[in-house]
Every structure is written in structure tokens, then in C-alpha cells.
Amino acid sequence: RTLKYGMQGDDVKQFQIYLNNHGYTISLTGVGSKGYETNFFGSLTKQAVIKFQKSNNLTADGIVGPATKNFIR
């Protein structure tokens, strides 16, 4: 499914883990930081997704759709 701001679920948490492990830090400490990922797609997750999208020359809209998912390595 497409992930975006305000959504919740295990897939959100898995994408947060991916971002944190690949240099797109959600938070340095506390909620959202490495090892403390959550199932909520909030503003910090959106900012990390935008950084990921920009670095992969994708449309930087903060939405994790098919084009963004294709760049997950």
C-alpha cells in the first residue's frame, strides 16, 4: 500500500527501520530513532522520506508509493 502522513501500521515501522539503517535518520534520539521506530507516519518520517526521495531523484512529496518503493535496496 502507499504510505503517507498520518498512517499507521507495521509497514510504516518497517520503512522507518529501512530509512534509519540507510542514512535517512528519522530522529537522533527518542521516538523514531534507530531501535525506537514506531508504526506512525508523522512529520519526522515524512521529512526522512523526502530526503530519501531527493537523493534518488524522485518526486520529493513525502509519500511512499510505487516509485519510491522501487528504490529500496
Side-chain angles (χ1 to χ4, degrees):
R1 70 181 179 148
T2 296
L3 305 177
K4 57 187 173 182
Y5 182 82
M7 295 181 79
Q8 295 184 19
D10 288 336
D11 48 357
V12 172
K13 184 173 183 174
Q14 292 306 310
F15 199 70
Q16 286 183 356
I17 291 169
Y18 174 85
L19 291 169
N20 277 334
N21 287 332
H22 290 87
Y24 305 98
T25 305
I26 294 168
S27 177
L28 294 175
T29 60
V31 176
S33 64
K34 194 169 184 176
Y36 296 96
E37 293 87 358
T38 71
N39 68 349
F40 180 69
F41 195 124
S43 60
L44 296 176
T45 303
K46 183 176 180 176
Q47 290 171 18
V49 169
I50 289 170
K51 284 178 14 184
F52 173 83
Q53 291 170 325
K54 285 181 178 179
S55 70
N56 288 288
N57 295 314
L58 298 165
T59 300
D61 57 7
I63 297 171
V64 183
T68 299
K69 288 181 181 180
N70 284 339
F71 275 83
I72 297 174
R73 302 180 197 20

